[in-house]
Amino acid sequence: MRILNTLFDNNKEWSEKIKAEDPTFFEKLALQQAPEYLWIGCSDSRVPANQLMGLLPGDVFVHRNVANQIIHTDFNCLSVVQYAVEVLKVKHIIICGHYGCGGVKAAMTDEEYGLIDNWLRSLKDLYQRYRKDLLTIEPLESREDALCELNVIEQVANLCRTTIVQHAWKRGQELSVHGWIFGIQDGRLQDLDVCVTEKEETPDVYRILQQRILDK
């Protein structure tokens, strides 16, 4: 089937519902985007940024990749961050992982999955760094959850160390980087209590919160 009629029908129903609630919504949306938030999350189809925060189109600038990674050679992600920070002037960057992440689970095994193994290299390194502590956590699901949380904190630290964020803080720009996690089983967001607002905060927050997770 070349045309996915069901999806077009769904889109028509959705747009009509929005216009019924606010007849000028799409006119205003077409004029500009001025979101306060940049969401960096996992590509997992069960974690839709706008919906789970109860926000409409135009409220959130979004970047997603497998296992919500911030890799300093990923110019796709860095370009999104730069546009969000320097052009859109977002005030908050939210890095959100989720429990039950397939990328995290894959990083904890020796199995080969193909090209994705290269993408998960830094996550595998993170697992190896904390492997001794993580192996003391039972059951396996709790161990995976702990690495999901550690991964979010690692990515917060990675993002805070980019020249984009560092320069924004140096300019005195209002910008906070948050670490959250999403529970697919209950649909709830959880703040991991990591929020960095200036470069001097990064090392201590990063170290203390990682240890807190391992000590649970």
Side-chain angles (χ1 to χ4, degrees):
M1 182 181 295
R2 293 181 58 192
I3 301 177
L4 301 175
N5 290 319
T6 301
L7 300 185
F8 283 98
D9 290 341
N10 290 347
N11 168 253
K12 181 180 179 181
E13 182 180 343
W14 171 79
S15 66
E16 289 177 349
K17 179 182 177 181
I18 294 291
K19 285 186 286 188
E21 295 173 355
D22 181 356
T24 64
F25 178 83
F26 290 108
E27 293 177 19
K28 292 183 290 187
L29 191 66
L31 294 176
Q32 64 176 350
Q33 63 167 335
E36 289 192 12
Y37 313 100
L38 165 61
W39 171 282
I40 300 177
C42 183
S43 299
D44 194 300
S45 60
R46 300 168 294 176
V47 191
N50 286 68
Q51 291 94 321
L52 61 86
M53 290 190 292
L55 297 176
L56 291 169
D59 291 336
V60 190
F61 200 56
V62 177
H63 175 78
R64 297 169 69 177
N65 62 54
V66 175
N68 42 274
Q69 299 289 286
I70 309 293
I71 298 174
H72 290 266
T73 53
D74 178 10
F75 292 107
N76 182 1
C77 179
L78 293 183
S79 295
V80 171
V81 173
Q82 182 174 25
Y83 187 80
V85 172
E86 297 182 5
V87 179
L88 298 178
K89 306 293 185 184
V90 298
K91 294 181 180 178
H92 302 276
I93 301 177
I94 299 162
I95 300 176
C96 188
H98 67 94
Y99 296 124
C101 179
V104 168
K105 291 180 180 180
M108 297 174 71
T109 73
D110 294 327
E111 295 184 38
E112 293 185 8
Y113 295 93
L115 184 62
I116 190 67
D117 295 328
N118 298 284
W119 176 255
L120 296 176
R121 182 70 264 165
S122 60
L123 185 49
K124 286 177 176 287
D125 291 342
L126 178 67
Y127 174 59
Q128 290 301 321
R129 191 189 317 163
Y130 292 104
R131 187 171 182 271
K132 182 178 179 180
D133 292 313
L134 287 166
L135 288 176
T136 66
I137 300 174
E138 297 290 350
L140 175 61
E141 183 177 318
S142 296
R143 189 182 312 157
E144 293 169 347
D145 287 350
L147 185 57
C148 288
E149 294 177 1
L150 286 170
N151 179 45
V152 169
I153 295 171
E154 177 85 355
Q155 305 319 315
V156 168
N158 286 345
L159 181 61
C160 290
R161 291 170 179 151
T162 62
T163 56
I164 302 162
V165 172
Q166 290 284 312
H167 288 167
W169 284 332
K170 188 176 181 180
R171 292 191 300 269
Q173 185 172 337
E174 181 183 352
L175 182 65
S176 300
V177 182
H178 308 262
W180 294 0
I181 198 153
F182 177 67
I184 292 174
Q185 292 182 333
D186 62 8
R188 298 296 295 272
L189 286 167
Q190 178 183 338
D191 190 338
L192 290 178
D193 196 26
V194 50
C195 176
V196 186
T197 59
E198 56 182 317
K199 61 182 180 180
E200 286 78 10
E201 295 178 347
T202 307
D204 288 340
V205 170
Y206 172 60
R207 182 175 60 253
I208 292 168
L209 288 169
Q210 284 186 326
Q211 194 57 52
R212 184 185 304 170
I213 288 171
L214 295 173
D215 289 342
K216 280 184 179 178

